[in-house]
Amino acid sequence: MKRLLPPVLLAALCLFSGAGTASLPADRPNILFVLADDWSWPHAGAYGDPVIRTPHFDRVAREGVLFEQAYVSSPSCTPSRASILTGQHFWRLGPGANLYGPLPAEQPTYTALLEQAGYQVGYTRKGWAPGELGERTANPAGASYASFDAFLAARAEGRPFCFWFGTTDPHRPYDEGAGAEAGIPLDAIRLPAAFPDIPEVRGDVADYFFEVQRLDRELGDMLARLEAMGELERTIVVVTGDNGMPFPRAKSHVYDPGVRVPLAIRWAEAVPAGRVVHGFVSLTDLAPTFLEAAGLAVPEVMTGTSLLPALTTAAPARERVFFGKERHVPSQESPDGGGYPMRAVRTADYLYIRNFAPERYPSGTPNYERAFIYPAWYADTDAGPTKHYMVEHRYDSPLHERLFELAFARRPAEELYDLRKDPDQLHNVAADPAYAVICGIS
């Protein structure tokens, strides 16, 4: 049965009546959160990519809401996942701001709050990771299960659930040639402008596409399972990624290929189908959204904003979004493993980046011998054919050298990109006097 009240009003009534478990509606929605590992916008059929095939993501978008401007808080697994769970930007999470860093136990998570309210909460494969639990006794994503089916089998009848499906697709390593063997047409791939256009790189991107499509098939299996149970319509289905594709100038960087991710949300009971949201949203907004949909109070410490108004009405979204990084892998020469701290703000017209250690290399030291703990050249960029080609062939031509420098060379303290003229974010105009006022953006 469909709700008679819109979810925002329903949540407000629940809060007014005391916000305890007993006051919650009996038909609280289930939550299926599907999180890809290293998936960039716009690599899905719903965004118009001419090659990749994602029919199940496209279905979620078609029967729900597609977000054009969704951004992670940080382009690195641990801090991004921590920010999703806590509804806060990564820089508020202490050691949780770094890859491998623990998420402080005093930080509330939407998973724990839902479990306290009677939800069955669990995850499979990659939950909050990688990192040490520290003072926590269990993964913040919930109890671990072998699969979605195993989780459903353990669920008490009628109990609402919140499940985190943490696939490792499309994280590296890839089976080289898998994309071409699956029939992905290499010549039709739209390469990011920062990549050299050569067969090795096209094959590497095709292998990445192959794993995105494998994720999509698993999404389809879960949708079919819920449909067979008669629970798909009352389940909030969210599909997104934790950071961008594992390629140079993407993952671990704050350009669009590193921080802009696909996002589609379906909730047939309450959300009209077929809408597209063009305003900015942050994945920190998911935790408040889940809590509000369940009729729970959102802790004041959460800085994200519930997406329910954007899902159910034409409510305006943000005009800008913030993100950044402290440390990805310990790939610098400093004794503490260093990092490459940066902050950025993105609007419709500009991307502004502040690099706080411009004397360092943004992708890690080029010197294998002097990297601390993580000895590999440019270790903040995952190893693969595209990275290897760009490093080994950087002097083959002026273009190759330019692309290598964009990915691996030192950067100035300030970067500014005029997206009206430079949507690929390749030409830094921060030093141009004509943009002096824009560099004061906040």
Side-chain angles (χ1 to χ4, degrees):
M1 180 180 297
K2 294 187 180 297
R3 299 188 190 279
L4 298 179
L5 295 175
V8 174
L9 179 56
L10 180 61
L13 291 175
C14 294
L15 295 177
F16 184 77
S17 63
T21 303
S23 68
L24 295 174
D27 58 345
R28 289 174 288 168
N30 302 316
I31 298 167
L32 173 60
F33 179 53
V34 180
L35 185 63
D37 198 357
D38 300 356
W39 184 23
S40 289
W41 178 94
H43 300 144
Y47 291 115
D49 189 284
V51 172
I52 200 164
R53 297 292 177 261
T54 54
H56 305 295
F57 176 84
D58 301 347
R59 176 190 176 185
V60 173
R62 184 176 63 254
E63 297 177 357
V65 178
L66 180 68
F67 291 83
E68 284 280 359
Q69 297 278 358
Y71 293 80
V72 298
S73 179
S74 185
S76 176
C77 290
T78 311
S80 177
R81 291 163 186 259
S83 70
I84 291 169
L85 284 160
T86 62
Q88 299 184 57
H89 275 300
F90 75 99
W91 57 75
R92 297 168 55 89
L93 303 178
N98 294 320
L99 192 73
Y100 308 120
L103 178 59
E106 67 271 14
Q107 295 290 354
T109 63
Y110 78 81
T111 46
L113 293 170
L114 289 172
E115 188 170 36
Q116 292 166 15
Y119 272 71
Q120 177 163 325
V121 176
Y123 79 99
T124 194
R125 303 185 199 174
K126 187 172 181 178
W128 169 84
E132 298 295 328
L133 289 178
E135 297 178 355
R136 293 180 180 271
T137 58
N139 192 294
S144 177
Y145 289 84
S147 66
F148 185 43
D149 281 345
F151 171 78
L152 293 174
R155 172 192 177 206
E157 185 177 354
R159 187 179 181 188
F161 69 77
C162 174
F163 188 73
W164 172 304
F165 182 80
T167 176
T168 54
D169 287 339
H171 196 290
R172 292 187 187 273
Y174 302 146
D175 292 329
E176 192 167 344
E181 291 175 9
I184 294 175
L186 272 60
D187 59 345
I189 292 173
R190 292 177 181 169
L191 287 180
F195 296 0
D197 190 354
I198 52 102
E200 292 96 322
V201 173
R202 287 186 171 273
D204 199 18
V205 174
D207 295 343
Y208 155 77
F209 280 4
F210 173 82
E211 294 209 355
V212 174
Q213 293 181 169
R214 185 167 63 189
L215 153 68
D216 190 73
R217 289 193 295 272
E218 292 196 284
L219 168 62
D221 292 342
M222 289 183 285
L223 295 177
R225 179 81 165 89
L226 289 173
E227 207 158 23
M229 296 169 57
E231 295 206 44
L232 179 59
E233 304 306 284
R234 64 182 293 260
T235 299
I236 302 173
V237 179
V238 177
V239 190
T240 188
D242 66 347
N243 50 247
M245 61 195 302
F247 284 75
R249 204 174 165 90
K251 178 182 177 180
S252 94
H253 298 278
V254 293
Y255 310 108
D256 274 14
V259 292
R260 190 174 179 182
V261 291
L263 175 63
I265 301 178
R266 181 191 192 276
W267 183 12
E269 275 195 342
V271 173
R275 292 185 52 246
V276 177
V277 172
H278 296 281
F280 292 94
V281 300
S282 168
L283 295 198
T284 60
D285 299 334
L286 294 178
T289 303
F290 296 153
L291 294 174
E292 187 176 5
L296 296 176
V298 177
E300 290 185 5
V301 72
M302 290 189 176
T303 53
T305 303
S306 171
L307 295 175
L308 286 187
L311 288 170
T312 56
T313 69
R318 291 185 178 87
E319 295 181 354
R320 66 196 68 186
V321 68
F322 298 88
F323 37 81
K325 185 179 80 170
E326 284 297 315
R327 177 186 53 70
H328 188 51
V329 302
S331 62
Q332 301 291 337
E333 297 178 7
S334 57
D336 62 354
Y340 195 79
M342 63 179 90
R343 300 291 185 271
V345 56
R346 173 75 153 78
T347 69
D349 294 333
Y350 297 100
L351 169 65
Y352 174 77
I353 304 170
R354 180 70 169 90
N355 299 310
F356 295 104
E359 72 282 1
R360 298 178 180 176
Y361 289 91
S363 293
T365 176
N367 191 327
Y368 181 96
E369 301 279 332
R370 296 179 64 182
F372 184 81
I373 299 176
Y374 206 93
W377 39 258
Y378 308 118
D380 262 11
T381 297
D382 290 11
T386 299
K387 173 185 176 179
H388 293 159
Y389 180 90
M390 292 178 70
V391 173
E392 293 166 6
H393 295 270
R394 60 188 180 276
Y395 300 125
D396 283 8
S397 71
L399 175 61
H400 280 64
E401 187 170 9
R402 162 70 171 157
L403 296 180
F404 168 82
E405 290 176 349
L406 285 170
F408 302 108
R410 288 188 175 101
R411 297 167 186 161
E414 289 186 291
E415 298 176 68
L416 179 68
Y417 299 92
D418 185 342
L419 306 181
R420 300 164 301 181
K421 302 176 181 178
D422 178 26
D424 297 312
Q425 304 164 5
L426 301 180
H427 304 284
N428 180 15
V429 297
D432 186 335
Y435 291 91
V437 174
I438 301 300
C439 282
I441 193 170
S442 61

